[in-house]
Amino acid sequence: NNISNPPLPPFSKGGMRGLFSSSFVSQGLMGVSSHDIVPTQKAEKAGTGSVSVYDRALKMYRRGEFREVIQLLRQKRTIDAGDANLLGWAYLKTGDAEEAIRQFSRSVSLAPSSYDSYCGLGFSYMRTGRLREALDSFDKGTSGNSKDIECLLGKAGVLERLEEKEKAADVYRKVLS
């Protein structure tokens, strides 16, 4: 069992909800995102009824086709904050936490209030063992949405690994409230 890069949890048909066990959190492997609630980008061509590249990629992501998401979005001429966020989650799911960090960082540089990207950065840093950076990212990810359960659980997991048990307990209480 490779502790530095353990396998990601299986992608369930209903998404990643329900994978809140502390073993997933402590390993930085929850891999959850708010893609199910993030509004999808619409095709720019009015009246054509065409589906945007982002929407196609999002459907692929939800089916667990992470490498295909990466391939599709990498073909775009211009990557916006939403594309970079989705790329970050796809790279994290394929085990490439360093590239996920690059994509999430790109997303937050383009859209500084992208809380989902900060949460993704937190999981990516956690995956690489950079716990202080993970904690900072989870803090930013929950600053605009203090009830983002995935981000809060990630933060609590980091606090536990940093031996800050009381702070972790406070965060877990916040999740349960």
Side-chain angles (χ1 to χ4, degrees), residues 53-70:
V53 172
Y54 177 88
D55 286 336
R56 287 194 345 243
L58 182 60
K59 286 180 183 178
M60 296 164 99
Y61 180 90
R62 289 177 177 159
R63 290 192 303 259
E65 300 167 358
F66 309 119
R67 293 190 192 289
E68 292 81 359
V69 168
I70 293 165

Side-chain angles (χ1 to χ4, degrees), residues 98-131:
E98 291 298 334
E99 185 60 31
I101 290 168
R102 283 189 280 283
Q103 293 302 323
F104 288 128
S105 296
R106 181 182 199 179
S107 178
V108 298
S109 73
L110 294 169
S113 62
S114 179
Y115 302 113
D116 188 58
S117 292
Y118 281 115
C119 188
L121 263 174
F123 283 111
S124 300
Y125 283 131
M126 192 176 189
R127 182 78 180 267
T128 62
R130 292 149 62 185
L131 300 181

Side-chain angles (χ1 to χ4, degrees), residues 81-173:
D83 297 329
N85 180 53
L86 187 54
L87 275 167
W89 286 109
Y91 276 113
L92 187 60
K93 292 291 202 166
T94 62
D96 191 345
E98 291 298 334
E99 185 60 31
I101 290 168
R102 283 189 280 283
Q103 293 302 323
F104 288 128
S105 296
R106 181 182 199 179
S107 178
V108 298
S109 73
L110 294 169
S113 62
S114 179
Y115 302 113
D116 188 58
S117 292
Y118 281 115
C119 188
L121 263 174
F123 283 111
S124 300
Y125 283 131
M126 192 176 189
R127 182 78 180 267
T128 62
R130 292 149 62 185
L131 300 181
R132 290 287 170 199
E133 290 168 288
L135 185 58
D136 181 55
S137 295
F138 285 130
D139 283 341
K140 289 176 182 173
T142 56
S143 67
N145 181 8
S146 61
K147 282 302 274 185
D148 183 320
I149 293 171
E150 293 87 9
C151 231
L152 289 169
L153 288 171
K155 179 179 178 176
V158 168
L159 289 167
E160 279 188 79
R161 289 175 70 184
L162 291 171
E163 300 295 324
E164 298 182 30
K165 305 290 187 196
E166 198 53 46
K167 287 181 183 178
D170 289 342
V171 175
Y172 284 128
R173 280 190 281 280

